[in-house]
Amino acid sequence: MTAGRAHPSRNTIRPETLLVVDPDTAPPVTASRQQRDLLDMCRGVLSLAEASAHLHLPVSLVVVLASDLVDSGHLAIRSALPKFARPDHDLLEKVLNGLRKL
């Protein structure tokens, strides 16, 4: 599945990395079944760990598959939300406390 490679070409893909594909992009002609499945499920946004679970493959293997697709331009990666876009911790505490009171 990985042509004998145990490591990806890039080290930036972590289990929490979000994967997304342009729905209009056709898969590469040489894509394996697993790569095609990965591209199909990433038509929305999906984390690498979730993709690994859906494919029933180890995360380390999916990292190599995803890395190859990123290198070929068929898959894009997104990092987690930047700190400024995350909800305020105090607000989350207030919501949690409100839910506990219900």
Side-chain angles (χ1 to χ4, degrees):
M1 281 187 255
T2 62
R5 291 175 297 119
H7 301 287
S9 61
R10 55 185 68 228
N11 293 330
T12 56
I13 301 179
R14 299 182 38 83
E16 65 273 12
T17 299
L18 301 176
L19 306 173
V20 65
V21 65
D22 179 359
D24 297 329
T25 303
V29 178
T30 59
S32 67
R33 181 181 57 84
Q34 291 81 9
Q35 286 177 319
R36 288 180 187 276
D37 290 345
L38 179 61
L39 289 171
D40 285 342
M41 72 177 64
C42 292
R43 297 287 176 194
V45 177
L46 192 68
S47 75
L48 188 123
E50 291 172 309
S52 172
H54 288 298
L55 291 170
H56 304 288
L57 295 171
V59 172
S60 59
L61 179 64
V62 177
V63 168
V64 175
L65 295 174
S67 177
D68 290 347
L69 291 168
V70 169
D71 290 345
S72 69
H74 291 90
L75 187 66
I77 56 174
R78 304 282 183 257
S79 59
L81 289 174
K83 190 172 185 174
F84 66 85
R86 295 180 192 159
D88 181 52
H89 186 271
D90 292 333
L91 175 64
L92 291 177
E93 283 290 328
K94 289 177 184 176
V95 170
L96 182 59
N97 290 336
L99 289 172
R100 286 181 178 149
K101 289 179 182 179
L102 291 177

